[in-house]
Amino acid sequence: MRLLPGFLSLVAQRHLLSEVRHVLACAPLYSPAMPRSGSPYSVRMSNCGSLGWLSDRSGYRYSPTHPVTGAPWPPIPHPILDLWHETTGAAYAPEACLINCYAPTARLGLHRDQDEHAKDAPILSISLGDTALFRLGGPDRKSPTRSFRLGSGDLMVLEGPSRHWFHGVDRIAPGTSQLLPEGGRINLTLRRVTVP
Ligand code: MD3
Ligand code: FE
């Protein structure tokens, strides 16, 4: 795992945020349901890219269309693709950009990202808005964990073994960024889904 704290200037963060707002105007945030129970996540989600990550009662999967509007996901904006190539060095493009929107009280339980066929491809995380208290574990649910903060403009590249480790967001620290007028946090997670 490579943490790139403060990678994005405030100007770059604002620019990225306006790109994200354009995507959300076309692919609105929705509240996904957890598999089996159907209880809602506290995080609202949307996607851009040829494939978007979905969760509903029947499970997790990638879909080319929005679950509510039925429309194809909008393309990943160029500045976001540029960040992928610049930070991962990958020759191939990401297919999915998951947009996670955290209200001040939202959290994301400990889990692994394992719905992608491209098991060796890196994952890029881009944080905007209030600081998240992030938890990174290890290969097993019981592995020891460590916590650190992801602030606005921080990037994280998951590659090598850590790509498959347990992780989650324990909480959002309110009032730690002025970027989002409504408060809270937006995280962009870029992934390759099919084997490149
Ligand atoms: C560590 N999102 O959407 S992104 C997710 O901040 C997710 O919204 C978090 O976990 C968020 O699945 C964390 C950073 C991240 C992404 C993938 C990882 C961290 C990871 C894969 C392995 C280990
Ligand atoms: Fe994850």
Side-chain angles (χ1 to χ4, degrees), residues 98 100 108-109 111-113 123 134 165 167-168 189 191:
L98 173 63
N100 285 335
L108 189 64
H111 68 278
R112 284 189 294 176
D113 292 15
I123 294 175
F134 179 80
W165 289 358
H167 60 279
T189 306
R191 305 189 185 101

Side-chain angles (χ1 to χ4, degrees), residues 37-117:
S37 70
S39 23
Y41 287 78
S42 58
V43 180
R44 290 182 305 151
M45 298 181 185
S46 187
N47 290 273
C48 50
S50 54
L51 293 170
W53 186 86
L54 295 184
S55 172
D56 62 22
R57 263 181 189 281
S58 60
Y60 309 128
R61 68 195 128 76
Y62 280 93
S63 160
T65 56
H66 191 290
V68 179
T69 69
W73 303 106
I76 301 176
H78 273 288
I80 299 178
L81 289 176
D82 290 346
L83 284 173
W84 163 271
H85 291 291
E86 183 180 354
T87 60
T88 68
Y92 48 83
E95 293 165 305
C97 174
L98 173 63
I99 304 168
N100 285 335
C101 187
Y102 293 79
T105 57
R107 52 184 296 283
L108 189 64
L110 208 65
H111 68 278
R112 284 189 294 176
D113 292 15
Q114 47 186 356
D115 304 318
E116 301 75 28
H117 297 287

